[in-house]
Amino acid sequence: KQWYQRRVAITAGDIWFIKQITRDGSRLDKQFFKIHVTPATLGLSRVLVETRDRCNENQTDFETYKEAKVKAAKHLKEGNSLGYKKVKGSNKLFAELNENNPNYPVQGK
């Protein structure tokens, strides 16, 4: 299958690139690789960049984020991506990011 793009409802400038991966014998077989491109001015984009910057600059923020992702990973094993997002998004770092970006709540709210 080829890459394709699709606009999504967040903003007119959002584009998704999606490709199904085929790797026989791998846990990635028949999984989808997704790239979501958004305008830098979009609030959710700013939250993503701020998350990256805080994790790079502060070990405590990195450990908080990592702990949340590890805790949420069990939901992915069960095929529950919504559960994953809710658990990952309900941590201290995202609560702080949500306070800093009130018009664009992060996952888990």
Side-chain angles (χ1 to χ4, degrees):
K1 294 188 177 188
Q2 298 295 315
W3 289 93
Y4 68 94
Q5 65 182 27
R6 172 178 72 168
R7 293 190 183 273
V8 294
I10 297 173
T11 69
D14 281 0
I15 300 175
W16 280 93
F17 295 92
I18 303 171
K19 182 175 183 174
Q20 188 173 23
I21 298 171
T22 304
R23 291 193 181 153
D24 291 335
S26 169
R27 69 181 186 88
L28 297 176
D29 191 39
K30 297 187 175 52
Q31 297 295 313
F32 286 93
F33 179 71
K34 304 169 194 162
I35 299 174
H36 183 194
V37 181
T38 65
T41 56
L42 183 67
L44 294 171
S45 299
R46 291 193 310 265
V47 168
L48 186 61
V49 169
E50 189 174 343
T51 300
R52 180 205 61 200
D53 291 347
R54 285 185 56 172
C55 287
N56 284 337
E57 295 167 4
N58 183 311
Q59 185 67 30
T60 302
D61 286 341
F62 172 76
E63 292 299 328
T64 299
Y65 183 71
K66 182 177 83 172
E67 181 181 316
K69 285 191 65 109
V70 169
K71 183 178 177 183
K74 68 178 181 176
H75 292 282
L76 286 180
K77 288 181 182 178
E78 298 167 357
N80 181 359
S81 60
L82 183 58
Y84 169 80
K85 289 180 179 187
K86 285 184 177 183
V87 171
K88 186 183 81 167
S90 63
N91 69 71
K92 180 183 173 194
L93 177 59
F94 279 170
E96 291 174 13
L97 292 172
N98 196 43
E99 287 175 19
N100 295 340
N101 299 282
N103 295 324
Y104 305 96
V106 296
Q107 299 167 346
K109 276 294 236 180

